[in-house]
Amino acid sequence: MYFPYLRGRLYELLALKDLLEKDLLSEKVVPVIEPIKLSTTLFNALENFIEKKRKIGLILNPEVVDLSKSIMEDKKILTLIEEYEEYFYPVLLMQENTLKVVEYWEKSNINKEKWWVINTRREYIDTYNKIFSQQKPKQTFLPDEFRRKIRLENKVLLENRFNRCYRNVDYKKNVDEFFSEDHLFYSEEGYKGFGDYSIIGDEYVEGGFLPYAVVIHLVYMDTDQVLKVHHFLSKSNVDTKNPAGKFYEAVGKLSEWVNTHSENTYFSEGLKTFIKHFENQTYPGLGTVKKLSLMHHLELMGHYLETYNG
């Protein structure tokens, strides 16, 4: 199973929506969402997954934006937890407010054995072991370095595999690089699944500004089934003018690369849409660029797991 960790931005939620509606998201791909706001789009996404009888996890105590109190008071979320436990999974993030959050949900009679728990910080290992000394969570997401500290059968590997640059133009220093091989080895290393932060990375960064360079991140499988990521960068990067032109430069490089690497390329819906934009010389906007890259990655992982790990 593959568990992409998403932050609930609009383009991430729309990527899930498009894949789900077109039946392109494998059942072996189960998103975990850390919400940044309780938006209509978020609730629509959760409801879409439940209607399709698909599993999804929602972090009840997000860290990047403090929504814990709002989530506790939201009747829709409580209904999802109580009535759709087969598909909707409450997720606990180990952080500063974890003990208070646990106390609240225990008073609401939410069984800890139904939770998913994410622990990526060493300073919270003791707190984790204290909270779950008697009742173990349904599964725990953790980096590989913690497997000797948290001994569980139902553990999921969670690592940040994306080398994020603070400036898009800096991707030119390493346009093609290793991404991950967790999908090849997670099972034999004792994990029930694996997860990552896709082509976004684990650091939350507010958007809202025009970049000097437009970049398209494309995850692909090398000949030995190792995942790599190629960064297709625009050329005219001296100022923020003409993002549409910059996109066309980047997507032109992508189209040229695909033509020479077709044997390694999975032609997902996201990738085919990129190519259509190149052929039609259309510009979808920067949010959609990120959405299409994410769609491609999620569909690619589902295809791999269905084909080679079924």
Side-chain angles (χ1 to χ4, degrees), residues 20-54:
L20 204 60
E21 287 182 347
K22 296 173 182 177
D23 292 323
L24 295 173
L25 190 68
S26 167
E27 291 186 5
K28 296 180 182 293
V29 177
V30 181
V32 176
I33 298 177
E34 180 180 1
I36 56 174
K37 61 181 177 179
L38 300 184
S39 64
T40 301
T41 308
L42 173 66
F43 282 110
N44 286 342
L46 299 176
E47 290 166 0
N48 288 342
F49 269 77
I50 290 169
E51 287 171 3
K52 293 274 190 178
K53 297 183 178 180
R54 299 292 300 278

Side-chain angles (χ1 to χ4, degrees), residues 39-248:
S39 64
T40 301
T41 308
L42 173 66
F43 282 110
N44 286 342
L46 299 176
E47 290 166 0
N48 288 342
F49 269 77
I50 290 169
E51 287 171 3
K52 293 274 190 178
K53 297 183 178 180
R54 299 292 300 278
K55 295 178 181 179
I56 190 168
L58 182 74
I59 294 175
L60 301 181
N61 60 327
E63 186 174 29
V64 294
V65 178
D66 186 5
L67 293 175
S68 299
K69 187 174 184 296
S70 298
I71 290 173
M72 290 174 184
E73 295 174 350
D74 195 285
K75 294 181 180 179
K76 289 183 181 179
I77 291 177
L78 184 60
T79 299
L80 292 174
I81 294 173
E82 292 178 338
E83 298 185 9
Y84 300 100
E85 63 179 43
E86 186 178 354
Y87 308 111
F88 181 82
Y89 289 89
V91 185
L92 180 71
L93 184 63
M94 297 301 300
Q95 55 153 311
E96 187 175 349
N97 68 359
T98 297
L99 284 172
K100 291 182 180 179
V101 171
V102 169
E103 289 174 4
Y104 173 83
W105 288 107
E106 284 185 324
K107 289 177 183 177
S108 301
N109 296 318
I110 305 302
N111 189 341
K112 286 191 290 188
E113 293 178 343
K114 297 178 181 178
W115 295 359
W116 292 353
V117 180
I118 296 175
N119 189 15
T120 58
R121 297 188 188 176
R122 184 170 292 275
E123 62 265 33
Y124 294 116
I125 291 177
D126 289 342
T127 304
Y128 173 94
N129 287 327
K130 178 181 178 181
I131 293 173
F132 299 102
S133 60
Q134 302 298 321
Q135 288 180 300
K136 301 300 182 184
K138 191 171 185 68
Q139 61 188 20
T140 299
F141 298 74
L142 70 165
D144 193 56
E145 64 178 298
F146 290 0
R147 62 174 160 174
R148 294 177 181 173
K149 295 288 186 179
I150 299 178
R151 298 182 179 274
L152 293 169
E153 290 185 5
N154 293 329
K155 61 180 182 289
V156 174
L157 177 65
L158 178 62
E159 299 280 4
N160 177 35
R161 296 304 187 190
F162 185 67
N163 294 322
R164 184 180 179 276
C165 294
Y166 287 97
R167 301 185 309 164
N168 283 350
V169 69
D170 291 334
Y171 287 107
K172 68 180 180 181
K173 298 175 183 176
N174 195 5
V175 296
D176 193 88
E177 59 185 325
F178 171 81
F179 184 79
S180 176
E181 55 186 9
D182 293 336
H183 57 293
L184 299 175
F185 303 113
Y186 74 94
S187 183
E188 67 183 63
E189 293 174 349
Y191 294 97
K192 298 298 182 183
F194 65 99
D196 56 41
Y197 301 82
S198 188
I199 43 82
I200 302 162
D202 62 350
E203 183 180 357
Y204 178 71
V205 179
E206 291 280 1
F209 61 90
L210 283 175
Y212 277 69
V214 169
V215 61
I216 299 170
H217 309 293
L218 188 79
V219 177
Y220 71 98
M221 284 194 175
D222 209 345
T223 51
D224 55 1
Q225 294 187 337
V226 167
L227 286 174
K228 301 180 76 174
V229 59
H230 198 101
H231 312 289
F232 301 94
L233 197 68
S234 57
K235 300 175 183 177
S236 53
N237 304 324
V238 295
D239 54 36
T240 62
K241 296 178 181 178
N242 194 14
K246 295 176 189 292
F247 167 73
Y248 192 71

